Amino acid sequence: MEIGIDSFAATIPDPATGRTLPPVDRMEKLLAEVETADRVGLDVFGIGEHHRKEFLDSAPAVILAAAAARTKHIRLTSAVSVLSAADPVRIFQEFATVDLIARGRAEIVVGRGSFAEAYPLFGFAMEDYDALFAEKLDLLLKLRDETHVTWRGRFRAPLTGQGVFPRPQQKKIPIWLGVGGTPQSFVRAGVLGLPLMIAIIGGDFRRFRPLVDLYREAGRRAGHAPDSLIVGVHAIGFIGDTDAAAKDAFYPGWSYMFTEIGRERGWSAATRAQFEAMCSPAGAFLIGAPSTVRDKILSAQEALGGLSRITFQMSSAMLETEAMQRSIELLGLEVAPAVKSALSQKEAVGG
């Protein structure tokens, strides 16, 4: 199993002072987080895409290119690229460029996005939400496979054999399909034989098992080999030296972010009781001491019938600089080795 981190480059006010870290300083701290993740041996670091005041990740490929120049081993990916509101040609060119800077470490996770701001911003209609994604994903996959593409669609000018450059270092940049809880999205990933990245930010990991099974069955029926149908999970997570330390460092930022977003969507304010429930053994938050988080990852692995990757969304704790760095170190030096050792032992005994 690969283990890594996703960041949304969150920038939120300090609950105690009301002050917000200047964007230039927040970006520097984010790049330092990627460097730490690389140093402690984590497998992947992802940057999201949002077009809101709370986040600095509207251009993830730019951040990843900066990270590529400062790292040596860690794979670098979007988390996710909002493909529906983008030009697939530009997305491909940007990530091919990142791949060259990173010497073959770039990946793309594409999705439709959980916020609506990108659609009017780039001149698209929300009612075309799914049609946009399906068409643009088709083009992106063709661009990965062919240098000169002939293609026609509804939302973009046709391609008539033009060359798309640069080409990446990798023969094929990995393209994952990022999904929430829509069955059709799981089926689409299976039919196309694409790796699946599931965003699980609430509830219980077990409730996603029927959807994962749907993905695997769709892939099998489409003729894809079972070992090519890989599943990853993006989850809210944070590690501290103790369960209490992890929760106390993460809760203030999480509470602020989910209360603000919830207000837009008509939800009630986030509470500590809700947070504690999500940190419990039955909840989806991977928050706690290394042993606590290890056990929850292993439970998620079993509940979903096998995972190839799990990434931690921990940027809501960005105000706790030392705790953030400590969390990344604990994830790379303690949690990841313990998880991989446990899975290797299980595999060795035929589990």
Side-chain angles (χ1 to χ4, degrees), residues 71-88:
T71 57
K72 296 183 181 299
H73 307 291
I74 197 165
R75 297 193 67 78
L76 300 166
T77 183
S78 56
V80 303
S81 294
V82 185
L83 183 61
S84 304
D87 182 350

Side-chain angles (χ1 to χ4, degrees), residues 35 45 57 132 138 157 174 258 265 348 350:
E35 288 183 286
F45 203 108
D57 60 351
L132 281 162
D138 175 66
F258 276 79
R265 301 182 179 186

Side-chain angles (χ1 to χ4, degrees), residues 192-335:
L192 294 172
L194 294 177
L196 184 74
M197 179 57 70
I198 314 167
I200 301 179
I201 61 172
D204 186 322
F205 289 107
R206 290 173 296 181
R207 71 185 177 94
F208 285 85
R209 179 59 182 269
L211 294 170
V212 171
D213 290 344
L214 190 64
Y215 160 70
R216 290 176 172 140
E217 177 61 16
R220 184 192 68 79
R221 291 188 176 188
H224 300 293
D227 60 2
S228 71
L229 300 169
I230 63 176
V231 177
V233 164
H234 159 101
I236 290 174
F238 198 79
I239 302 95
D241 290 294
T242 65
D243 286 351
K247 292 175 185 178
D248 289 345
F250 197 81
Y251 175 74
W254 174 86
S255 176
Y256 176 88
M257 190 70 68
F258 276 79
T259 295
E260 289 299 304
I261 293 170
R263 184 177 292 117
E264 297 175 9
R265 301 182 179 186
W267 303 343
S268 58
T271 68
R272 184 74 189 219
Q274 291 171 330
F275 178 76
E276 291 288 344
M278 293 307 302
C279 294
S280 72
F285 288 3
L286 304 171
I287 296 177
S291 60
T292 299
V293 174
R294 175 204 63 205
D295 291 346
K296 289 196 76 171
I297 292 174
L298 293 173
S299 293
Q301 161 86 0
E302 183 174 356
L304 295 173
L307 292 174
S308 295
R309 176 177 291 182
I310 192 159
T311 56
F312 286 58
Q313 205 298 96
M314 58 174 65
S315 59
S316 295
M318 47 74 58
L319 295 169
E320 298 287 344
T321 303
E322 292 184 8
M324 178 73 84
Q325 288 286 340
R326 180 64 175 157
S327 177
I328 296 170
E329 290 174 349
L330 289 171
L331 182 60
L333 298 176
E334 296 193 26
V335 176

Side-chain angles (χ1 to χ4, degrees), residues 47-63:
I47 300 293
E49 180 187 341
H50 300 84
H51 301 270
R52 301 171 55 91
K53 66 179 181 180
E54 301 95 342
F55 307 107
L56 301 176
D57 60 351
S58 64
V62 177
I63 301 174

